[in-house]
Amino acid sequence: VQLQASGGGLVQAGGSLRLSCATSGRTNYVMGWFRQAPGKQREFVAGITWNWGTTVYADSVKGRFIVSRDKAKRMLYLQMNSLKPEDTADYYCTTRSGDITSNASDYPWWGQGTLVTVSS
């Protein structure tokens, strides 16, 4: 399984960004976004089931972020709206079999991070 995240950058508070993650390899799985700020643990942001599109969000991003996938293009997306300085972090896409979980150690495959910086 290979994952390639992109789309990070610098944005002002209140702005929007869309992250993308190109996937290759197996199907019938769960995809997720996690983030890690300096000095903090990696935390769950959102997850989606590849086949059915069922989504789960962390409370901190619910109503602001939208996770989606394009099965034909094999792409995962994270639309981030109303960004806040506390959203600043490296964002990672990941995948696993089974259910969506918020525990990073449940996910065996990871892409490289893409940095999102939100200025106040």
Side-chain angles (χ1 to χ4, degrees), residues 42-108:
R42 193 166 294 190
E43 66 171 357
F44 175 78
V45 175
I48 186 167
T49 60
W50 190 256
N51 284 337
W52 300 107
T54 303
T55 57
V56 176
Y57 295 93
D59 288 343
S60 59
V61 306
K62 202 172 293 183
R64 300 188 298 123
F65 290 11
I66 301 171
V67 61
S68 63
R69 87 277 189 247
D70 185 322
K71 296 172 69 175
K73 294 182 180 178
R74 303 188 66 82
M75 293 292 293
L76 173 72
Y77 302 103
L78 185 69
Q79 177 66 42
M80 305 185 295
N81 302 317
S82 302
L83 282 161
K84 306 175 181 179
E86 51 263 43
D87 294 318
T88 295
D90 280 308
Y91 283 72
Y92 298 87
C93 57
T94 182
T95 186
R96 71 183 298 268
S97 299
D99 297 331
I100 299 172
T101 77
S102 60
N103 189 347
S105 64
D106 291 336
Y107 293 80

Side-chain angles (χ1 to χ4, degrees), residues 7-19 64-65 78-89 91 114-120:
L10 174 64
V11 63
Q12 288 189 330
S16 298
L17 275 177
R18 188 177 81 154
L19 304 183
R64 300 188 298 123
F65 290 11
L78 185 69
Q79 177 66 42
M80 305 185 295
N81 302 317
S82 302
L83 282 161
K84 306 175 181 179
E86 51 263 43
D87 294 318
T88 295
Y91 283 72
T114 185
L115 178 62
V116 172
T117 303
V118 184
S119 63
S120 56

